[in-house]
């Protein structure tokens, strides 16, 4: 499947102006690929994505939206890379009322997952209870390696990366023009390949919104790490759903915004504030 | 209305780890606010946004989605900032079939506007014919001023900015956690306040996807500028829809990806390539 994937970048002609002088040149830009997802024959959504791992993207999207929960739910997956179509058939239709399925997607709209944002709905989600811990050194080392790996994709400009880690090494590393897509690709692969995520760490290059938190919590991932910022709502969501939220990882420092009990050393070692 | 706006940032407690030492501190994070939009009594979408200019965001969203086209379409707008709800009533219902309206939003899904991505739909859009031009110096100066203005928002981390310009000065400057929202806020205000956009420049801090191009073209904006990268599909869309697409504006250089005829100097002055 992966071998015939369309390229993720394209070299296109342009006019460059430099010091007031225009000249013709070429530049590599990232591809934006429309992927339309059909679930049991019904058109569900068109995702704008980087054209790699389309099957995993489709499955990850369905997982994140709660439309499938395990590989056993899946009857068939057909990917047409030329037309940009993925057709997924499930054994049981997640919802017989198309109206309800529709309603879901309307409510989530561009802010995918927005349906979950009321406090009522948060309480309906199960809390991540995993006892997995992570040390200072692991956080720093993971981000260092992550940024090194991301460098590979920097040539294309404007791609987000996400990775699944066991705390020490990366098991899956994905990139996409969309922050959400990169993470969905990981969860789609985990579902398909039977990789458990409930003792894992997700590292992301992007900002952490509440949507990302719901996505990660839904797969039982206990720790989320980014070099970027969280939003107010993502901190609240992480706190409510039991996810350890780590942001602003830069050099030898980082911030823990929620559930810091998973960071080894924050309690046991009685470090004095501010004397570093 | 604006006076009672909730704050765009929040100061939250956290554990900071620095050089292996944890200590308690506080950090400013950007607020993420769920805004639910009702059109003629029907729940349409929940947008995750920065809580400013909510009325304009709602109207801009409706404009971008083609559900309203002018201020005359609007009968009433009610904003409830506490509950995070905007209710818009129109004189004519854009579509009596709720199914069709629903279908729109499903198709666009997280990639808002995805409904437009097939070539057939592109040809259904009217091309931007504006003869507005822009000089090298204007592009450079606008980006310089834009980045200076954006600095103000950098303290909150993770906010995108967008501005409407006449080529020389900024008429509207907006920020939001979402690239799309920042631009929708501008177009919502233009619609409400009767500001014409067909000789304007939009400057954005974010990457330029095809969705942004459709949004800008729909309001007849001839020139789009960003310091960031375009995608392959946005270049194609800009080319098809007659929008001058300028990216990678950095210092004294920038790239023109489509419709370079609006850049004064690219044709008349016969500069020799590569001798800068």
């Amino acid at each position: 499947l992966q071998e015939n994937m369309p390229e993720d970048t394209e070299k296109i002609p342009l006019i460059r102006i430099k010091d007031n002088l225009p000249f013709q040149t070429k530049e590599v830009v990232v591809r934006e690929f429309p992927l339309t997802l059909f679930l049991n024959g019904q058109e569900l959504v068109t995702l704008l994505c980087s054209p790699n791992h389309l099957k995993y993207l489709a499955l990850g999207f369905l997982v994140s939206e709660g439309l499938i929960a395990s590989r056993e739910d899946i009857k068939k997956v057909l990917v047409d890379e030329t037309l940009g179509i993925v057709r997924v058939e499930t054994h049981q239709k997640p919802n017989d009322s198309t109206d309800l399925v529709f309603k879901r997607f309307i409510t989530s709209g561009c802010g995918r997952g927005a349906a979950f944002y009321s406090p009522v709905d948060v309480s309906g989600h199960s809390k991540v209870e995993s006892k997995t811990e992570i040390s200072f050194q692991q956080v720093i080392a993971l981000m260092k390696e992550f940024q090194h790996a991301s460098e590979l994709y920097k040539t294309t400009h404007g791609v987000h990366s996400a990775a699944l880690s066991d705390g020490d090494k990366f098991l899956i590393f994905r990139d996409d023009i969309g922050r959400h897509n990169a993470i969905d690709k990981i969860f789609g692969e985990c579902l398909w390949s039977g990789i458990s995520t409930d003792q894992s760490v997700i590292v992301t290059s992007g900002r952490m919104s509440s949507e990302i938190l719901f996505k990660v919590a839904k797969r039982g991932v206990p720790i989320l790490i980014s070099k970027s910022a969280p939003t107010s709502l993502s901190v609240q969501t992480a706190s409510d759903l039991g996810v350890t939220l780590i942001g602003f990882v830069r050099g030898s420092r980082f911030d823990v915004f929620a559930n810091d009990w998973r960071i080894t050393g924050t309690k046991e070692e009685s470090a004095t504030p501010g004397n570093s």
Side-chain angles (χ1 to χ4, degrees), chain A:
Chain A
L1 181 72
Q2 314 307 352
E3 290 153 18
N4 292 323
M5 282 288 168
E7 293 292 331
D8 280 7
T9 61
E10 218 170 279
K11 204 163 195 173
I12 54 170
L14 57 91
I15 305 286
R16 177 164 296 162
I17 281 91
K18 197 173 170 184
D19 299 325
N20 290 324
L21 289 174
F23 56 97
Q24 293 194 335
T25 181
K26 289 189 174 187
E27 177 67 275
V28 173
V29 299
V30 69
R31 280 196 70 199
E32 180 186 353
F33 186 80
L35 178 70
T36 302
L37 174 54
F38 289 79
L39 179 63
N40 297 319
Q42 183 177 28
E43 185 178 336
L44 209 60
V45 71
T46 296
L47 301 168
L48 296 168
C49 64
S50 297
N52 64 55
H53 302 89
L54 300 180
K55 182 171 86 172
Y56 294 146
L57 173 59
L59 295 180
F61 177 84
L62 293 175
V63 168
S64 288
E65 294 296 330
L67 297 168
I68 56 173
S70 73
R71 181 163 174 168
E72 285 66 48
D73 294 339
I74 304 163
K75 195 171 158 190
K76 203 194 287 185
V77 186
L78 290 171
V79 181
D80 186 327
E81 291 163 18
T82 314
L83 291 179
I85 288 174
V86 177
R87 293 178 185 278
V88 179
E89 284 180 38
T90 56
H91 289 290
Q92 289 192 312
K93 299 203 173 181
N95 206 321
D96 283 334
S97 162
T98 53
D99 278 352
L100 270 180
V101 176
F102 279 13
K103 184 76 181 155
R104 271 188 80 84
F105 283 91
I106 297 149
T107 315
S108 38
C110 180
R112 255 173 30 190
F116 305 134
Y117 295 151
S118 78
V120 178
D121 284 323
V122 171
S123 68
H125 283 253
S126 55
K127 203 167 169 172
V128 178
E129 304 283 5
S130 166
K131 300 292 178 226
T132 300
E133 294 189 332
I134 191 164
S135 71
F136 300 167
Q137 292 75 19
Q138 281 177 302
V139 173
I140 304 288
L142 275 181
M143 184 53 70
K144 196 174 171 186
E145 192 184 334
F146 181 77
Q147 291 201 273
H148 180 71
S150 303
E151 288 289 330
L152 296 173
Y153 300 94
K154 273 202 181 160
T155 52
T156 62
H157 310 289
V159 175
H160 282 290
S161 307
L164 181 82
S165 169
D166 59 5
D168 294 316
K169 62 185 182 301
F170 290 120
L171 309 172
I172 307 176
F173 186 96
R174 294 288 167 257
D175 63 292
D176 199 285
I177 55 169
R179 286 179 296 144
H180 300 162
N181 292 343
I183 294 178
D184 279 346
K185 282 174 180 174
I186 288 176
F187 289 144
E189 183 165 351
C190 289
L191 183 94
W192 189 254
S193 307
I195 301 164
S196 72
T197 50
D198 55 5
Q199 297 183 34
S200 307
V201 179
I202 289 282
V203 186
T204 169
S205 62
R207 291 172 295 137
M208 297 176 290
S209 62
S210 58
E211 300 172 89
I212 302 286
L213 262 297
F214 279 108
K215 212 181 269 295
V216 160
K218 196 171 214 100
R219 299 312 291 167
V221 173
I223 300 165
L224 177 64
I225 300 180
S226 175
K227 71 176 201 306
S228 296
T231 65
S232 60
L233 199 51
S234 73
V235 173
Q236 189 193 312
T237 308
S239 181
D240 291 347
L241 294 181
V243 177
T244 297
L245 181 61
I246 300 172
F248 295 122
V249 188
R250 285 156 192 190
S252 65
R253 61 148 277 181
F254 59 90
D255 290 345
V256 190
F257 289 93
N259 293 293
D260 55 83
W261 59 269
R262 286 202 187 88
I263 315 286
T264 54
T266 44
K267 282 178 180 171
E268 292 75 10
E269 300 165 24
S270 60
T272 316
N275 62 354
S276 58

